[in-house]
Amino acid sequence: RKKMISFNPDLWKFYQRLIKLRRDSQPLSEGDLVNLRRISSTEVTFERRFSGKSVLVKLDFQNKEVSVDGDPV
């Protein structure tokens, strides 16, 4: 028997924003992966570069809210 998973509209909106961000950003959608670093057992950073533009990405796999410049993410 399969366990039902409830729909989370906030998570859905978050994923939609990530998809749009990737689609609208050439470095994220077409860029080269550079500077991949493991900061800790739960944190990874990397940079994507394309045509003179770059995006720094930080992933934190902890199960808690974090903030960037004071804004919760």
Side-chain angles (χ1 to χ4, degrees), residues 5 8 29 31 35-38 43 46-47 50-52 54-55 66 73:
I5 299 173
N8 183 330
S29 61
N35 299 328
L36 178 63
R37 292 188 194 123
R38 183 180 202 135
E43 295 176 76
F46 63 89
E47 188 175 357
F50 181 82
S51 190
S54 67
V55 174
V66 296
V73 290

Side-chain angles (χ1 to χ4, degrees), residues 26-41:
Q26 280 188 305
L28 290 176
S29 61
E30 301 177 49
D32 295 324
L33 177 65
V34 293
N35 299 328
L36 178 63
R37 292 188 194 123
R38 183 180 202 135
I39 305 301
S40 71
S41 63

Side-chain angles (χ1 to χ4, degrees), residues 41-43 59-66 73:
S41 63
T42 61
E43 295 176 76
L59 303 173
D60 188 330
F61 298 101
Q62 296 181 66
N63 190 17
K64 65 179 184 177
E65 185 175 288
V66 296
V73 290

Side-chain angles (χ1 to χ4, degrees):
R1 193 167 215 208
K2 292 185 178 181
K3 185 177 180 179
M4 295 295 291
I5 299 173
S6 63
F7 177 73
N8 183 330
D10 292 330
L11 185 60
W12 175 256
K13 289 177 190 175
F14 176 72
Y15 276 112
Q16 293 293 348
R17 286 176 44 206
L18 288 178
I19 291 167
K20 180 176 178 359
L21 179 65
R22 184 173 190 269
R23 191 179 304 138
D24 294 346
S25 170
Q26 280 188 305
L28 290 176
S29 61
E30 301 177 49
D32 295 324
L33 177 65
V34 293
N35 299 328
L36 178 63
R37 292 188 194 123
R38 183 180 202 135
I39 305 301
S40 71
S41 63
T42 61
E43 295 176 76
V44 174
T45 63
F46 63 89
E47 188 175 357
R48 297 288 302 259
R49 292 183 188 161
F50 181 82
S51 190
K53 297 178 181 178
S54 67
V55 174
L56 177 65
V57 177
K58 180 177 180 182
L59 303 173
D60 188 330
F61 298 101
Q62 296 181 66
N63 190 17
K64 65 179 184 177
E65 185 175 288
V66 296
S67 65
V68 176
D69 296 329
D71 295 327
V73 290

